[in-house]
């Protein structure tokens, strides 16, 4: 009698996701260490976006290494925001020049 055997399972791939960063698609380089989940990759991106200088442009891509595909693309521009100045108040009545 032949004993049933279970199929061999593929090994679970750890640190499967890699974040890439650059100014455009042609300048993207690996950023940080590979992580095990897309959520961790998004946290890496969020932390780096907070450190960007004002006016900087960055393009991020989360790459799944086991399937060799990009799962998410994040584009970020750090804009400079100036405070709104309230308009100068005008007097209720015009000031008349004193007659000399």
């Amino acid at each position: 009698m032949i004993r049933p055997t279970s199929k061999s399972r593929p090994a679970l791939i750890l640190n499967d996701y890699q974040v890439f960063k650059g100014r455009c698609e042609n300048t993207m380089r690996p950023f940080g260490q590979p992580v095990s989940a897309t959520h961790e990759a998004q946290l890496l991106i969020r932390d780096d976006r907070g450190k960007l200088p004002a006016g900087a442009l960055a393009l991020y891509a989360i790459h799944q290494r086991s399937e060799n595909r990009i799962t998410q693309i994040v584009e970020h521009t750090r804009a400079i925001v100036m405070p709104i100045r309230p308009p100068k108040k005008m007097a209720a009545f015009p000031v008349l020049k004193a007659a000399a």
Side-chain angles (χ1 to χ4, degrees):
M1 182 170 157
I2 300 174
R3 290 186 172 175
T5 58
S6 61
K7 293 182 180 178
S8 62
R9 295 181 184 175
L12 184 64
I13 298 173
L14 297 176
N15 301 334
D16 190 30
Y17 296 93
Q18 175 71 51
V19 177
F20 284 81
K21 177 184 174 185
R23 291 182 167 231
C24 63
E25 294 94 8
N26 297 332
T27 61
M28 296 190 88
R29 300 282 181 249
F31 172 73
Q33 296 294 322
V35 292
S36 60
T38 58
H39 177 72
E40 293 176 22
Q42 290 170 354
L43 290 175
L44 278 173
I45 292 171
R46 188 180 74 184
D47 289 343
D48 189 61
R49 284 171 33 183
K51 297 175 186 175
L52 284 177
L57 174 70
L59 182 67
Y60 300 94
I62 300 175
H63 177 255
Q64 188 175 9
R65 300 187 313 168
S66 63
E67 296 185 14
N68 196 21
R69 67 183 182 106
I70 293 180
T71 59
Q72 187 177 7
I73 296 175
V74 179
E75 188 172 357
H76 177 73
T77 303
R78 181 94 186 234
I80 302 172
V81 180
M82 300 295 291
I84 299 173
R85 295 181 184 167
K88 293 182 180 179
K89 294 184 178 180
M90 300 296 289
F93 299 100
V95 179
L96 300 175
K97 291 183 180 179

